[in-house]
Structures are given as C-alpha cells and as structure tokens.
Amino acid sequence: MALKDFAAEMDRCSVCSYCKWIPFDQMKSWRFAKNCPSVAYYNFNSYSARGRYAVARSLLNEQSEYSDTVRNIVHTCMTCGACDVSCKVCRYNLEPLEMVRELKFSLVEAEQVLDQHEALIASLNQEHNILHKPKSERGAWADGLDVARLPSEKAEILFHAGCRLSYDEDLQKTAVSAVQLLKSMGVDVGILGEKEMCCGGRVYSMGYRDEFNHFADLNMKVWANAGVKTVVTACADCYHAFKRLYPPLGSQVEVLHMVEFIERLIQQGKLRFRSEVPMTVTYHDPCHLGRQGEPYVPWNGVEKKIKGQIIVYEPNKPRYNGAWGVYDPPRNILRSIPGVKLVEMERIREYSWCCGAGGGVREAYPEFSAWTAAERIAEAKATGAEALVSACPWCERNFMDSISATGAGLQVYDVLALVEKAL
Amino acid sequence: MTLPKHVYQAFEDVVGAVNISDDPAVLDSYRYSLAHTAIHLGPFYNTYTPRGAAVLLPGSAKEVQAIVKLCNKYRIKFKASSTFWSAQGYPSEEDTIQLDMRRMDRILELDEKNMFAVVEPGVIGATLQAEAMKVGLNTHIPGSGCSCSVLASATSYFGSGPSNLYGGCYYDNLLGLEWVMPTGEILRTGSVNSTGSWFCGEGPGPSMKGVARGFLGAKGSMGVFTKCAIKLFAWPGPKTLPVEGVIPAYKVSLPETFRAYTLAFPSWKAWADAAHLIWDTGIGYLAHRQFNMFGRDLKFAMVKILTDPTKTLGDLEEVLADPEVQRITKQSERDFQIILVGMTARDIAWQDAALDEILNRTDGWKVEAMNVPEIHDWVLLYLIRLGHKNLNLVFSGGYDGAFGLLGAMDYGAAHAEEAAQFKKTWEKRGAIVDAGGDCMMGPIGGQGGGGTGLWENFTCFDPHDRESVEGTLEFFDACTKLGLEKGWGVGMEKWNSVARGSDGRTTPKAERDRMHLSAPQPSVFRYQHKIREAFNPNDLGDAYYETLEDE
Amino acid sequence: MQEKKAQLIAIVGAAGVVDDPQVDESFLLDHEARLSMEPHFLVRPGNVEEVQEIVQWANQTLTPLVPVSSGGPHLRGDSLPTAPESVLVDLSGMKQILKIDRRNRLALIQPGVTYSQLQPELQKEGLRVVTPLLPRANKSVIASLLEREPVMSPKYQWNLLEPLRSLEIVWGNGDKLYSGSGVFRGEKEEDWQKGMVPLLGSGPGQLDFYKFVSAARGSMGIVTWASVKCEVYSESRKLFFVPAEKLDDLIDFTYQLLKFRFGDELFILNNTGLAYVLGGTAEEIESLKNVLPAWTVIVGITGGQILAREKISAQENDIQDTARQFELKLMSEIRDCHSAELLEILLKPSREPYWKLRYKGGAQEIFFLTTLDRTPGYVDTMFTAASRHQYPAEDIGIYLQPVHQGTGCHCEFILPFRRANGHESGRLQDLFSNAALSLFRQGAYFSRPYGTWADMVYNADAGTLMAMQKVKDIFDPNHVMNPGKLCF
C-alpha cells in the first residue's frame, strides 16, 4: 500500500469527528469522553484522524508541504487505534489507523523524521533494541533462571521478553515471573536471551516500515531455526507485532500473550490461586492487546459496488474494529484471584484510553506522553482503585513515570505480579 | 493569504502560540469538501471551501471578544465552529479567520431542580446527556447526532431531532445565551444579567434573543456564541446507560418503563393520523422515522447487519435474499419508531394501552421483528443517545437530504410517496444508492412537541466517484425542479445554494438577490439586512446570514 | 387637530374616530399617580389595511400611537398614553375568530378576541386554549400572550411564548410582515387540508420576529392576527389541593410533578391568594383567608380522547404517591372548599369584578420571574417590606406559577388597596417601589418591566438596552409606537 491508495478514503471520510470521542454509546461522563490523546492535547483538527486524512490529502495533492507542523501532526499519533474503533461504529469502508500508518511511512520515506526516532532506529540497527542498550545484555534478566536458551537448547514454547522487559530493571520481574510460572506449570519453555531481537512493532508504529520488515524477517528466521511453533509474550506491543503484523509477512507461529496462557491454565484447572490479595484494582487495556489484538485474517480482495453505490469488497473484507480483542483473559485472571476486587474505569476494552507510550511519542514528545498517562491515572484513581494493573510493560513504564513525577498515589502492577502474589 | 506578521502576532497575543496556526496543512484540515455530505447545495466533485487565513483556538469569551475586536480593527472576516460537522461552519470567503471552539467545552452548570444546563460551545450532546443522566435528566439531541455541539445546534442552526416530541427541540429549549456580537460587544439575553441565573432567555421586555436566532440561526455569520443555557427534561432511567454487546451492536437493557416500538401503517393517511393521535394523547418520549434513512428496501437488512457484530456491509446482498427479511421489509414500508418512557409503572401502562388504542384506530401495527431483545435494546440505545448518526454515511461516505418537507404532519404525508417514487426512478440510473426510493426520515414533532414533522429523503452517493457526485447533483437539480412545480418550494437539497456556490465561495449577489426576491416574504431578508448593518457594521460574516438590500 | 381627524376619518371612517377619548378609570388603576397625557383621538381600525394606514399616517405626522386590545381595567399602565397628542388604536373591534383547525390544533384570531369569546368556540371543536389564572373576561387573548402572561399549565409551555405561534404584524414603520409560518395563513380551505398552516412561531428566517413584539407593550408594532396553539378539550378533569403550612414544604413536591409533567394546571397560592380566587365579596374573602391553609398547590388532571379515565386514574395515584413521599396529602376538599368548585372557577375568565380588585377595589401587582426554589426567599422579603410600610401582610395574595415546563417560576404579589384612601395609596406606592427594588436586588427577574421597573432593569442591562434600541430603530424608526414605555 501507498498513501495514494487511501485517496478514496480521504474523500469518503465524512469529517464527523467520531474519531475524537469514545463510541458515544459508551460515554459515561464529560470528563472521560475523549479517545484520541493527540487531538485532546493539541486541539487542532489536524491532530485527529479526520484531520490527518485532510492533511494527507493536502500533501498528496501538493496543496501543502512538509513542515515542522506537519511532522508533529503525523508523529504525535500514537497509533493507538481508538479513532479506528470509533469510526467503525458507523463505517465499514474506512481504515483510519491504516491510513495514518501509511502517512507515517510516507513521511519516513521522505526523510521527514524526528531526531529522537532516528536515534532509536540507530539503536535498533546496532543493538537490536530500541532502548539504547547493549545487545549483549539482553538476556541478563534471566540470569540464574533455569530456562532453556534457544536455539542451542530446544523448547516447545518460546517466551519472548521484548525490549522493555529485557532491559527495564523495574519491570524485568514480569519476565522472570512469566518464565517461572510457565515452568512451574510444566510448560516446556525457552528464551532466546541475548539472541532475542526487537519485534519491530514500535518502529512500525513510528513509520519505519523497512526496519520493521527487516526485523520481522530476522525474527522469523531465528524462530524457524529454533523450530519455534508457539511464541508467548508478556508485552502487548510484541504480541501485536507477532499476531497481526508478522502473518502477512509469512509467519505461521502461534502467538499467545501471557494473559491468554494463564487464563487457559485456569480454565484447565491447572492453575489455582491460594493466597489472598486484598486489593481493589482497575485494569488498563493496552491498545495492542485490546483493540489491536484481534487475530489476523488473510484477505486479498478488491473494492466493488452493489446497489449502485454501496462500497463493499470482493471477497468480504475482514473487519478490525476492536470487537474481538483480548479483553476478557486479564479480567478473568484478576477476578479469579481471591481478594482482588476489579473495578472498571470508564474507558475500557475497545475504547480504552492509551497510556501515551505508543507511536514513538514517549521518545519524541515526552510532555505529551506524560500528560496522556496522567489522564489515564486520573481515570484510574476516579474508580477508587489502589492499583492500576496492565499487561504491557510500555504502558506500565509510562504510568510509573507519570506517577513518580506527579505524586499520584497509585500502584502499578502487571497482571503477572498479582498472579505471583496469589500463588 | 498569509496574515501580516503583526496581525498574526496580535492574534497570537490573545490565544497564545500553541492555539493559533496558519500552517497550510493545518488550514487544510479546516476546509470542507463539497463532494461530501449534507451541504444542501451540491455535491460538487473535487471542490473545497476556501482555505482560512488562520485557525484560532480561543479558551474564553474574553479571548473571543478580543479576537473579534481585532477582526474589526483589521477588517478580517471570521467564522466560528464547534465541531466542524456541517459545511455551514466553514467560511465561504477567502482569508477568513477560523475559530475552533473546542477548547471551550465546559458544562458550567447543571441545575437539577430547574432542569437546565449552561454549556460552552464544545459541549456535545453525548457529554451533556451523560452528565444530565447522573441527576435524572436528559437533553434533546439534534438530528445531526450526539457528536454535535449543543450550543451550535441551539443557537446557530435548527436544532430539531427525535426527542422534539417530549424533550422539545433546541429552539424551544434554548434559554439564555452569551453572544460576542460581530462588533465585539457581549450580549447576554434574559435573566442572567439581573439575576446571575440563566433560567430564562427572554427579555427583559422584547426578547433580543430574537436577533440571535429565528427559525434558523445565523450559521456562524453573526458573531460567536460563547455560552448558552439549555432546558433539560426528565430521565427516569439509570444514572449511566448500562451498555452491553459487542461493537458496533451495542445495546442497552433498561427498566420495563422503557419501550421501543417500530410502528407501521397501511397508508400514509393512517401514518399521519397516528402521529396526530400520539400528539393529541400526549404519549411518547421520542419519535422518529429513523431507520428508513437506509431506504425502504434496505432498512431491515441493515438493522440485521448492525445488530450482528459478525456481519458487515458486504453481507447485505445475502441478508436481503432472506425471505424473512423480505417479509419484514414489506411489512414496515410506512413506519416510524417511537420510544415510550413511563415516569412510573402506571404511566407506562397507560401510555402502552393508549398506543395500542391508537394503532387500533389507525389499523397500524407494531413490527414485531423489531421487538426481539437484541434489536429492541439496540434501537433503544440508538435513539436515546443518537450516537450512530453517521450511519447516514455508511454506504459510501456521501449523503444529503432531498425535498425536506417541513410542516404539518399532513403536508409531508401527502407528498411522501410521490417524492419517493420520483427518487426511485433516479436510483435506477446508478449514481445514487438504490434503496427503494423512499428514504424519507425525520422527526415526528417539532416546535412545541408534536404536530409537525420533517421529511428528508436521504440520498447516498460516493464522494470519490465523479460520476456518482455529478449524477447526484443532477438528481438534486431535478428534485428542486419538481419541488417548484409541485409547490413544495426549493427542497433542502438546495437550501444553502443561496449562500454558497458551486465553487465553494459566496453565491454572487445577483443570484442571492434573485432567490431572496422570489421568496414568499422578501422583506424578511431586508430586515435581516438592516439587522446585519446594525449589529455587524463591518460585515465580517458571510452570506449564510441572508440579506437583501432595499430597492 | 381637525386636519388629523379628517385624515384618520379618511382611513377608518367617521364612526371609527373618537375625539378626546376619556382615559377613564379603567386606565388608572396602577400604583403610579402619574398624570396621563390625554390622547387626542381613539381610532378603531377594522382590518389590517386600516392599521397599516394608521401607522403610516402616524409616521408622516409623527403622532404617537398607543395600541389597546383588551377592555379595562388596565392594571399596569401599559395602555396609558404617556406622550402628548397620542392616538389610541383600539383593536377590540377586530374580534373575528378566523379559523379553528382541529387537526393541527390551531386557532387563528384577531386581537379583539377575548378568552370568554374563544373558549366556547374552541370547545365546540374539541379544543381549548391554556389560559392565565382568571383573565379578565374582556382580556384580549393576543395581548395576554404577547405580554408573556404565565398560563396555569406549565407543561404545555414549550417555550415562554407558547401557545403563541404565527403573527401578522404591522411594524412601527407601517410594513406588514407574517412571522413564524404565518405566510401559510390558510386563506384557502384546501391549504388547511394540505397542512399548509401557520403552525410555527419562530422565524421566518434567521430572526425571531415575534419576539420583538413580545412584552413590547405595543412599542414595536401592532399584531393584527395570531395563530394560537390549542390543547385537546376533555370533559374528564379533576382538580386537587395539596396544602401545607410552609411554602418550603411544597417546593420539592411541585418540582417532582414538573419534572414528570404530571398534572395539567399546576400552581401555588397562599391562603390570601386562594381567597381572592374563591371569594365573591370582601366579606367572603375575609373569612376564607382565615380558614384556608397557608399554602396550597393546585393541581389539575385532564383526560383526553383516548383512555381518559385510565389516564386520570394513573396520574391521580401517581400524584398521590408523590405527595405521600413528601409527607403531603392530595385532597379534593379543603375547609369546605371542594376542588370541583375551584375547577369551575378556573375554567372560565374571572367573574366581575376582576378577582384582584374584589377585596378593596384596587390592587397593585408586583411580579417577576425566578426559579421555584427561590420563591420562599422573595416571600420573606415581601413580608418584611410590607411590615416596614405597615401594609397588612395578611392581605398579600401570592401566586406562584411555574413557567416553561418548570425551568422558571412567575412570582406574583397582589397588594389590594383602597384607591379612595389617599394615605393608603401613598403608603402602597412607597411599598411598591421599595419592595420591587429589594426583590430586584435579591435577584428577581423583572422580565416584563412595567413603569418604573424599566429604569431599574435596563440600567443593569446595558447590552440588552443597546440591542433593543437598534431593533427599535429598525422597526419603528420614528418612535411612534407607544413612546415612553420600556426604554424608548
């Protein structure tokens, strides 16, 4: 696809501004009614999906040129996909998330990039991670763990830690817990350790399609060499990359997030919680596990019209609107932990508010990113919860940073941390 | 035009650097494609409203006032919009300053006892409704849906919608308002000046609210409204809507005191009789011919798709082939939706019995297929929140209403079928969606609750397809011709052609004058001209405020 | 003078011009001992063309016109000429009911049509018009509605001007304009059949013309017909009392009925106010005042054409339950007064003499808009002021009428006095001025600023004043329409 392939959508976007709000049916208050962090923060139309359609058309038609403002408009999109969900409450023939990704690709191709992103790409290319850390230390989090190291050792299931869980010392425990839990359940699990590489998902969301393709290819090759059939991860970004972005490139491995795996274990009666965890918690749906966590469905079709002017597709096009994302497994886990009381925020599931870490925003627009996280923390606190629980280290990092900067009294946990407490 | 540096700086000094932009790309996100939707003059392929000189995001009435004064000082036209939904909110003159009012989005007051709210321009129907429900109240939501600004609908356009019948249209519900007039002075109407409270918008003495809006508002051409008070009405339901279901098939299960029915009738006469009896009897919480916007032939199939999250528009032909769908489609040709809400159990029992009696007297029936729980609860949510209004555009992204018969129930009912059959012949030509001709939709009620209606024949087309756009325009031209021949007047498909031309710019004066002189009362536009001269002496709006100079 | 007379005779005929009309007693009942400017003539136009000609003539001769539609007594001085050489334009002769349209529930009436004339005609067609509390029998329906006089049934008041709809207006510049959808005035019967009817009040276009003549007291133009929205007439009606010793105890109950739109007529009277309504003579009033409850909500329920009994029964029970919830009682009788008797009174215009005048022959009114929850505070203020001016508090009739479906409340104090008693009149005048000012300062909204209230109100509202003057200059550029009223 190229940006010009979205020209029809640019004309068919009806500038309704649904993309700025959570689905109206789900609106419970004035305070937590918005869905798109960038237009909520920057306010100009151009920072919403409808505006980005217009900006893209303007660029495509050469009515405007690249500028600092244009770069900001494009790169402040977290590609959280909230606009996409709201748009598709009524529309079956628009793909605003796909369009904005394509817009990002086009800017990167035109070298309309940000220094912070470039630095991150350099780290990726050199160190195979986006955190500017040495690749040699990638597996250090598992030092001392009795876990198979692929490909030299064999295992049925690969646990992919991802950049954040590999290097972030505050969060490494999640990866450790995941491996320990899997092993305690008798799962034949292994890791790639220092040979693990970035999934590429985050650079994809910044517009670096080539780099993503390159790393997807590398990862798929490593998996093939190691005979990996199933990949489990505790990172929503990695999950999304493997589950949704790799299959069109040829990946056929089964992909599971830890919350799916754990829920399966609970349902099979293999995992029982014995310890009480007396805590009121609220759950934050990571964008890439929730609304963007729907399974990939292959499609290779064309647009056609029926009834004169109704736009449909031949064959029927799969619809990604957040309907079938991974929402219930983490909630089911939390509900099954004795003592845990799960209270919901207003914006949940497919219409969840983003943590603020996506799309390269955390790296390039730290103030905006922190504001986005603070918004979510305010929403979490409004539930009366003591802790904000999630299933993505990127979300957790952004929340922890915001809380430490603002002093908001709220704990942040990964679902796995509560599982561990409950065992 | 790029604003001279010192002028830009003057505006920037008012709103701050982060709230002003003249970047071409930003400005292009504040242009409207006239190949689009509900512009009531086109559509015109590949045509846009003019690019603004700058976009400003004011944060207070004081800032708006300062902006307007600068516009007067430098003789720059300005136009404010809150949600930028309608083409009317976009300038039709070059070099206009655009005010995006979204930062002013507070609900300033929610008076539970006296049932009104005071809102800023950025408050939309959905946010006000969500807050009102918490205190047992509800707000009218206009036909354009809950995504639209409450203030803009109430002060600057029409403000009619499904809840006219009980909730009252915005014309009725608009209480006091705060208006930064085109000269930069602020006028607050009604009680607020002497009491500090917004409960009354009229007076003292002759009501100057009448300058601010009439049947229609000034469509952003006469200053900027910065606050208004809106009358609310009872919501005897839960504090938040307990929404269930998988997107987009959201639905809500409400207490037994809430009922959503689709009523159908053997003739248009019976249809109108029922509408009158409902009005006379005083039942109903909202009433709208809603799903017929998909078209007489497609409506039930669309309801089936929209209430099943596994289905898409691509399943339409298959669903249409279902004999049961065909049977229901036939059964609901002349229909409308009504929601009954009982304030108490006795109240709903009485209303329900009265409705049955009305159906008995008019030989009407309830379309039972619309009463299965997953559809009933979806309809209930749809009509109460009006959060799916962009299904108007579901087919291909472009729509506009034709005819727009407005007035007494009998007026619309008398001509509905003729207008429908006329459209049907055009549908066969392929430029517009073939939906069954009758895509008439609109409220059962208007000013003062019931008694009037609006019949808008939805016409859907593909704004990206030149043939579709041009064919639609040809159809609309034919509608206008038919309307004039039949004495229905110019239909809504051309209502705004008096303000804006096919190039997206102001209609030439000679053409405007010709249209105004052919109106039943040209003096209306002459008075508007005098008002414009008195209240907007530097003429800083556009021709959406319709004026005619004295001969 | 004679030249002017001849010109007027040329317009309306000799019978239509009265020389030196006496501004009689009926004009002098307001509190202000203001000297009337004797009008030169009274003219009686018979149709809109004559009205237009009169107004055009007034513009040519710069003669002030004072329109009058209702018969006396005029309590508020709005029809009292306050400029020299005025001509009274008496519209009471234009009293045709032009059309009653059952289907669209509209009555098209001229300005001389009174409530006592209209209601029986409507009833024949199965309709009724909601009325103010006991209007004078000779009260012009149009004048009452133009004055935004509150009606007893707030639930039907979708906006403050309801049930007024389309108008035919002759502006102060002599132009004629149809407001609302008045251009569809149904001159042909088939237009009524087709639904091309004057149903709408707003507009047309982007101005709300009828709002410029509302509460304008004839200072903008003259209305020569109006369409009025009607309600369905029903034989099935019930009325109830909900008494309490304290006004505060009735407020939340009344709010609840307003919110649910239960009840048709819905208002509150104090014992004195209710006595003024019920009593036929000063003696009856005196004895009623002493026995009636301090405060009473009066709530009526109307059936309809469909399941009338069921509706009344359901609402009666629901209102009963609501009353219980607030520890109140829904009653059909209080102190020998049966609600059916009151209903009978309320459904008709006031008996003679006018109900506010029965007790002492004269009465002064202080009325304004507020919200229901603030009314107890205004009552206290009024009583305090009365006490300060040695006016007997027990004589103050209080009428609280929710308006516009409950968003506001008309609050009215009726202050009877003996006009013949100069001392009493003088005291009352002081009370009137001081109480109005206190109430205004407390937040009372004098939305219809009569007499001295105009200065008080407009001095505090420069924005409205400026806008009004601009509008006045457009529609009455020579300021011939009722000068000296409002701020013109």
Coordinates of all heavy atoms in Angstrom, one line a residue, chain B residues 507-535:
Chain B
T507 N -22.2 32.8 -3.0 CA -23.0 32.9 -4.1 C -23.0 34.4 -4.6 O -23.2 35.3 -3.8 CB -24.5 32.5 -3.8 OG1 -24.4 31.2 -3.2 CG2 -25.4 32.5 -5.0
P508 N -22.9 34.6 -5.9 CA -22.9 36.0 -6.4 C -24.1 36.8 -5.9 O -25.2 36.2 -5.9 CB -22.8 35.9 -7.9 CG -22.2 34.5 -8.1 CD -22.7 33.7 -7.0
K509 N -23.9 38.0 -5.7 CA -25.0 38.8 -5.1 C -26.3 38.8 -6.0 O -27.4 38.7 -5.5 CB -24.5 40.3 -4.9 CG -25.6 41.2 -4.2 CD -25.0 42.5 -3.8 CE -26.0 43.4 -3.1 NZ -27.2 43.6 -3.9
A510 N -26.1 38.9 -7.3 CA -27.3 39.0 -8.1 C -28.1 37.7 -8.0 O -29.3 37.8 -8.0 CB -26.8 39.2 -9.6
E511 N -27.4 36.6 -7.8 CA -28.1 35.3 -7.7 C -28.8 35.3 -6.4 O -29.9 34.8 -6.2 CB -27.0 34.2 -7.9 CG -27.6 32.8 -7.8 CD -28.5 32.4 -8.9 OE1 -28.7 33.3 -9.8 OE2 -29.1 31.3 -8.9
R512 N -28.1 35.7 -5.3 CA -28.7 35.8 -4.0 C -30.0 36.6 -4.0 O -31.0 36.3 -3.5 CB -27.7 36.3 -2.9 CG -26.8 35.2 -2.5 CD -25.9 35.8 -1.4 NE -24.8 36.6 -1.9 CZ -24.4 37.7 -1.4 NH1 -24.9 38.2 -0.3 NH2 -23.3 38.3 -1.9
D513 N -29.8 37.8 -4.6 CA -31.0 38.7 -4.6 C -32.1 38.1 -5.4 O -33.3 38.2 -5.0 CB -30.5 40.0 -5.3 CG -29.6 40.9 -4.4 OD1 -29.4 40.5 -3.3 OD2 -29.2 41.9 -4.9
R514 N -31.8 37.4 -6.5 CA -32.9 36.8 -7.2 C -33.7 35.8 -6.4 O -34.9 35.7 -6.3 CB -32.3 36.1 -8.5 CG -33.4 35.5 -9.5 CD -32.7 34.6 -10.5 NE -32.1 33.4 -9.9 CZ -32.7 32.4 -9.4 NH1 -34.0 32.3 -9.5 NH2 -32.1 31.3 -8.9
M515 N -32.9 35.0 -5.6 CA -33.5 34.0 -4.8 C -34.3 34.6 -3.7 O -35.5 34.2 -3.4 CB -32.5 33.0 -4.2 CG -31.8 32.1 -5.2 SD -30.7 31.0 -4.3 CE -29.5 30.6 -5.6
H516 N -33.8 35.6 -3.1 CA -34.5 36.3 -2.0 C -35.7 37.0 -2.4 O -36.8 37.0 -1.8 CB -33.6 37.3 -1.2 CG -32.5 36.5 -0.4 ND1 -31.2 36.9 -0.4 CD2 -32.6 35.4 0.4 CE1 -30.5 36.1 0.4 NE2 -31.3 35.2 0.9
L517 N -35.7 37.6 -3.6 CA -36.8 38.3 -4.2 C -37.9 37.3 -4.5 O -39.1 37.7 -4.6 CB -36.4 39.1 -5.4 CG -35.7 40.4 -5.0 CD1 -35.0 41.1 -6.2 CD2 -36.6 41.4 -4.3
S518 N -37.6 36.1 -4.8 CA -38.6 35.1 -5.2 C -39.2 34.4 -4.0 O -40.1 33.5 -4.1 CB -38.0 34.1 -6.2 OG -37.1 33.3 -5.5
A519 N -38.7 34.7 -2.8 CA -39.2 34.1 -1.5 C -40.6 34.7 -1.2 O -40.9 35.8 -1.7 CB -38.2 34.4 -0.4
P520 N -41.4 33.9 -0.4 CA -42.7 34.4 -0.1 C -42.7 35.8 0.5 O -43.6 36.6 0.3 CB -43.3 33.4 0.8 CG -42.4 32.2 0.6 CD -41.1 32.6 0.2
Q521 N -41.7 36.1 1.3 CA -41.6 37.4 2.0 C -40.2 37.9 1.9 O -39.4 37.8 2.8 CB -41.9 37.3 3.5 CG -43.4 37.1 3.8 CD -43.7 37.4 5.3 OE1 -44.1 38.5 5.6 NE2 -43.5 36.4 6.1
P522 N -39.9 38.6 0.8 CA -38.5 39.2 0.7 C -38.2 40.1 1.8 O -37.0 40.3 2.1 CB -38.6 39.9 -0.7 CG -39.7 39.3 -1.4 CD -40.7 38.9 -0.4
S523 N -39.2 40.7 2.4 CA -38.9 41.7 3.5 C -38.2 41.0 4.7 O -37.5 41.7 5.4 CB -40.2 42.4 3.9 OG -41.1 41.4 4.4
V524 N -38.4 39.7 4.8 CA -37.6 39.1 5.9 C -36.1 39.3 5.7 O -35.4 39.6 6.6 CB -37.9 37.5 5.9 CG1 -37.0 36.8 6.7 CG2 -39.4 37.3 6.3
F525 N -35.7 39.2 4.5 CA -34.2 39.3 4.2 C -33.8 40.8 4.2 O -32.7 41.1 4.5 CB -33.9 38.7 2.9 CG -34.3 37.2 2.8 CD1 -35.4 36.9 2.1 CD2 -33.7 36.3 3.6 CE1 -35.9 35.5 2.0 CE2 -34.2 35.0 3.6 CZ -35.2 34.6 2.8
R526 N -34.8 41.7 3.9 CA -34.5 43.1 4.1 C -34.3 43.5 5.5 O -33.4 44.2 5.9 CB -35.6 43.9 3.5 CG -35.7 43.8 2.0 CD -36.4 45.0 1.3 NE -36.3 44.9 -0.1 CZ -37.2 44.4 -0.9 NH1 -38.3 43.9 -0.4 NH2 -37.0 44.3 -2.2
Y527 N -35.1 42.9 6.4 CA -34.9 43.2 7.8 C -33.6 42.5 8.3 O -32.9 43.1 9.1 CB -36.1 42.7 8.7 CG -37.3 43.6 8.6 CD1 -38.5 43.3 8.0 CD2 -37.1 44.9 9.0 CE1 -39.5 44.2 7.9 CE2 -38.2 45.9 9.0 CZ -39.4 45.5 8.4 OH -40.4 46.4 8.3
Q528 N -33.3 41.4 7.8 CA -32.0 40.8 8.2 C -30.9 41.6 7.7 O -29.9 41.8 8.4 CB -31.9 39.3 7.7 CG -32.9 38.4 8.4 CD -32.9 37.0 8.0 OE1 -33.7 36.2 8.6 NE2 -32.1 36.6 7.0
H529 N -31.1 42.3 6.6 CA -30.0 43.2 6.1 C -29.9 44.4 7.1 O -28.7 44.7 7.5 CB -30.4 43.7 4.7 CG -29.4 44.7 4.2 ND1 -28.1 44.3 3.8 CD2 -29.4 46.0 4.1 CE1 -27.4 45.4 3.4 NE2 -28.2 46.5 3.6
K530 N -31.0 44.9 7.5 CA -30.9 46.0 8.5 C -30.3 45.6 9.8 O -29.5 46.3 10.4 CB -32.3 46.6 8.7 CG -32.9 47.3 7.5 CD -34.3 47.8 7.8 CE -35.2 48.1 6.6 NZ -34.7 49.2 5.8
I531 N -30.7 44.4 10.2 CA -30.1 43.9 11.5 C -28.6 43.7 11.3 O -27.7 44.0 12.1 CB -30.7 42.6 11.9 CG1 -32.2 42.8 12.4 CG2 -29.9 41.8 12.9 CD1 -32.3 43.4 13.8
R532 N -28.2 43.2 10.1 CA -26.8 43.0 9.8 C -26.0 44.3 9.9 O -25.0 44.4 10.4 CB -26.6 42.3 8.4 CG -25.4 41.4 8.3 CD -24.2 42.2 7.8 NE -24.4 42.6 6.4 CZ -23.9 43.8 6.0 NH1 -23.2 44.6 6.7 NH2 -24.1 44.1 4.7
E533 N -26.7 45.3 9.3 CA -26.0 46.6 9.3 C -25.9 47.2 10.7 O -24.9 47.8 11.0 CB -26.8 47.6 8.4 CG -26.6 47.3 6.9 CD -27.1 48.5 6.1 OE1 -28.2 49.0 6.4 OE2 -26.4 48.9 5.2
A534 N -26.9 46.9 11.5 CA -26.9 47.5 12.9 C -25.9 46.7 13.8 O -25.3 47.3 14.6 CB -28.3 47.5 13.4
F535 N -25.9 45.4 13.6 CA -25.1 44.6 14.6 C -23.8 44.1 14.0 O -23.0 43.6 14.8 CB -26.0 43.4 15.0 CG -27.1 43.7 15.9 CD1 -28.3 44.2 15.4 CD2 -26.9 43.6 17.3 CE1 -29.3 44.5 16.3 CE2 -28.0 44.0 18.1 CZ -29.2 44.4 17.7

